[in-house]
Amino acid sequence: MKTYDAIVIGGGPGGYPCAIRLGQLKQKTLCIEKETPGGICLNWGCIPSKALISAAHHYERAKDSAFMGIKASGVEIDPNALQDWKDGIVKRLTGGVRSLLKMNGAELLAGTATVVSPTEVEVKLADGTVERIQATKGIVLATGSSTIEIPTFKFDGKQVIGAREAVSLREIPKRLLVIGGGVIGLELGMVYQKLGSTLTVVEALPDLLTGIDPECTKVVERRILKRGGAIHKNAKALGYEKQADGSLAVRIDVAGQTQTLVADVVLVAVGMRPSSKGLGLEQVGVTVDARGFIPTDKQGRTNVPTIYAVGDVSGPPLLAHKASKEGEVVAEVIAGHKAEKDWVSIPGAVFTDPEIAVAGLTAEEALAKGLEVTIGKFPFAALGKAMAMAETEGFVKVVADKKTRQVLGVHIVGPEASTMISEGALALEMAAFLEDLASTVHPHPTLGEALMEASAHALGSAIHIANR
Ligand code: NAD
């Protein structure tokens, strides 16, 4: 039987950094992946969607920049060329994962793995043969998550689609209806809205992007409406009928009343479920919770000490960067280091237009913990760089402990929020105070000045807006 120090099941953003780090730490490692390495993130999630988001931004800017003296005519979108460009990026990155694994001494095996004992896995290879392989130090479950389907909206790959198809459309839908006003629904919905689709969002809950500061969400919501989109909240999608002209008549329930909306394509984006089924976990005794997540301790260990879990399958938040960090921690634990998951915050970024990015607590969450808070806020409308970019919607909000002035949370909606949030995450990791952010010299003119000014605002010393 082939024997390794560690076997990693899954080559996504949890599994491949884990295997690379294991290789760096001189552990004999095998990474098993049934599809193209890179997981959802590289193949049809984070990266492809960001390529489309960037293209949609350039397209809109090219068409609508007459206000700054740029007059362009005949600006067109070529969906095939866009897809080919995006596919090229995916190919480069997934190829990069293969090379990085190799460069670090980790082997990659194409196949489907199941766990058959605390130290062994069975792999079904493409030719149907089954191989049993041993891991002397640890097996890492990094199998990710999969799209939730609504029974009355079964994917047909053309008109009723999930995110996977939505990043691969070679025709821009005339009318796009998105079920689920969460991260995927809004990111991809806004892409196609910019590329010409009429967008309708149907969300079951009272708010879009539940869990995010509603003040931030409102800014994005306004943008969707301003571009002619429609948003139905407290609305449940019931089912649909295909009409004679090929369009879909979608029935939704809003407060007990049935309404019908017409669309050409329906994107279902109602969440993901952990991929913990069919891995053989029951036989080996690995605990799986009621939602299908695999609970782990601070070192990423499941209840079976030789089996670890990282990323989506180990619990929320379902974010690539959380998966990668967990993968690195588990690699170090398997290699005998004293590593553990001890971060203060896992920041989040939503690539809507404008972007939303958050780290740490909202004011409401801090109050619920019994803390007294002080809040500083700085609008991009008051920032020279934002004006020069013609991106003045949004703000930076800093939440701090009222007594100690330690930063508890940073919430940004606006241009490059996803880039700026790293400073907020660093502030939380370093247990920074408002004074630290406010007195750090930020280069001018930059968007980053907004975080400095928001912190100063909480202290009553902002320069470019009125203090209280
Ligand atoms: P989500 O949980 O973000 O949003 C799903 C939304 O669908 C929720 O608001 C929910 O209330 C709504 N919903 C559920 N059932 C519904 C129904 N029957 N009718 C109408 N609305 C309904 O899930 P998602 O957008 O599918 O994203 C999946 C995962 O992928 C998330 O966990 C997210 O963290 C991750 N993701 C992250 C990013 C990012 O970080 N930028 C981008 C894409 C995806």
Side-chain angles (χ1 to χ4, degrees):
M1 196 184 341
K2 274 194 199 157
T3 300
Y4 292 84
D5 291 321
I7 295 175
V8 181
I9 304 178
Y16 84 72
C18 180
I20 288 173
R21 188 80 191 110
L22 281 160
Q24 287 172 352
L25 297 168
K26 307 288 172 241
Q27 304 299 303
K28 190 173 180 228
T29 300
L30 178 69
C31 180
I32 305 168
E33 169 57 59
K34 60 184 162 79
E35 292 189 42
T36 312
I40 291 177
C41 173
L42 265 53
N43 287 290
W44 55 272
C46 320
I47 300 299
S49 64
K50 261 76 270 172
L52 300 184
I53 287 166
S54 128
H57 173 76
H58 286 294
Y59 174 63
E60 191 176 60
R61 271 301 175 90
K63 275 192 319 161
D64 302 334
S65 293
F67 68 92
M68 54 168 72
I70 302 172
K71 292 182 190 165
S73 56
V75 181
E76 279 175 38
I77 186 81
D78 175 348
N80 281 315
L82 171 56
Q83 283 298 324
D84 292 347
W85 170 68
K86 180 265 297 176
D87 288 346
I89 297 170
V90 171
K91 208 164 164 201
R92 267 207 306 286
L93 285 169
T94 54
V97 170
R98 288 180 197 277
S99 320
L100 286 168
L101 286 167
K102 199 166 175 194
M103 191 199 297
N104 287 285
E107 285 176 46
L108 178 65
L109 178 65
T112 306
T114 47
V115 184
V116 291
S117 90
T119 55
E120 288 167 325
V121 303
E122 259 181 17
V123 189
K124 191 168 178 199
L125 305 172
D127 63 6
T129 55
V130 174
E131 203 178 327
R132 195 175 259 246
I133 310 175
Q134 190 182 38
T136 52
K137 295 188 185 170
I139 295 170
V140 185
L141 308 169
T143 49
S145 58
S146 60
T147 306
I148 294 177
E149 265 191 86
I150 305 178
T152 50
F153 287 89
K154 282 253 167 264
F155 296 144
D156 67 10
K158 288 200 166 76
Q159 280 188 285
V160 182
I161 59 173
R164 203 174 187 126
E165 293 81 24
V167 295
S168 309
L169 295 180
R170 286 181 179 261
E171 203 178 316
I172 310 297
K174 252 178 90 184
R175 291 162 294 188
L176 175 67
L177 185 142
V178 174
I179 304 178
V183 190
I184 293 180
L186 296 191
E187 286 188 4
L188 293 179
M190 290 188 93
V191 163
Y192 289 107
Q193 189 182 33
K194 283 189 193 173
L195 296 182
S197 303
T198 305
L199 176 66
T200 303
V201 179
V202 175
E203 167 56 48
L205 296 177
D207 285 311
L208 301 180
L209 296 170
T210 297
I212 286 180
D213 184 335
E215 226 187 319
C216 293
T217 314
K218 287 273 171 316
V219 177
V220 171
E221 207 173 314
R222 274 204 304 272
R223 210 34 107 81
I224 293 174
L225 299 175
K226 207 168 147 191
R227 283 203 187 92
I231 299 170
H232 299 266
K233 296 186 209 168
N234 294 306
K236 224 172 162 259
L238 302 172
Y240 72 91
E241 276 79 44
K242 192 154 178 165
Q243 308 198 102
D245 67 355
S247 65
L248 307 180
V250 176
R251 281 173 289 108
I252 63 166
D253 175 282
V254 186
Q257 302 277 327
T258 303
Q259 297 180 20
T260 303
L261 308 168
V262 180
D264 300 296
V265 173
V266 174
L267 163 62
V268 181
V270 293
M272 308 283 286
R273 69 162 59 90
S275 301
S276 55
K277 279 206 182 122
L279 285 175
L281 303 183
E282 311 79 28
Q283 297 96 287
V284 198
V286 172
T287 301
V288 177
D289 74 15
R291 294 195 294 159
F293 292 113
I294 304 169
T296 59
D297 65 12
K298 283 204 148 226
Q299 295 190 307
R301 241 184 230 103
T302 68
N303 62 311
V304 176
T306 51
I307 302 181
Y308 300 77
V310 301
D312 289 3
V313 79
S314 74
L318 276 57
L319 297 172
H321 45 279
K322 174 252 190 193
S324 297
K325 270 285 169 266
E326 287 182 343
E328 289 172 47
V329 166
V330 162
E332 291 179 8
V333 170
I334 291 174
H337 292 221
K338 279 189 181 153
E340 65 173 34
K341 298 184 268 182
D342 68 346
W343 40 81
V344 176
S345 138
I346 296 174
V350 188
F351 297 82
T352 41
D353 176 17
E355 294 179 351
I356 298 177
V358 299
L361 302 178
T362 60
E364 291 68 30
E365 286 165 346
L367 291 170
K369 280 179 179 264
L371 297 165
E372 270 196 277
V373 299
T374 183
I375 294 171
K377 206 171 150 192
F378 191 84
F380 286 108
L383 199 69
K385 180 65 189 280
M387 281 183 222
M389 292 168 70
E391 299 262 11
T392 50
E393 266 181 278
F395 55 83
V396 173
K397 191 196 267 189
V398 180
V399 179
D401 185 294
K402 193 167 186 175
K403 276 194 216 91
T404 64
R405 297 194 294 277
Q406 186 172 334
V407 177
L408 301 172
V410 176
H411 308 268
I412 308 174
V413 56
E416 298 296 339
S418 60
T419 302
M420 278 191 284
I421 201 62
S422 294
E423 187 180 352
L426 182 66
L428 293 165
E429 288 296 330
M430 305 292 287
F433 295 92
L434 287 171
E435 287 86 345
D436 295 317
L437 287 176
S439 57
T440 296
V441 180
H442 286 64
H444 175 75
T446 59
L447 296 171
E449 289 172 284
L451 181 53
M452 172 180 73
E453 287 268 32
S455 307
H457 183 242
L459 295 167
S461 56
I463 297 296
H464 295 92
I465 47 165
N467 293 289
R468 281 149 293 179

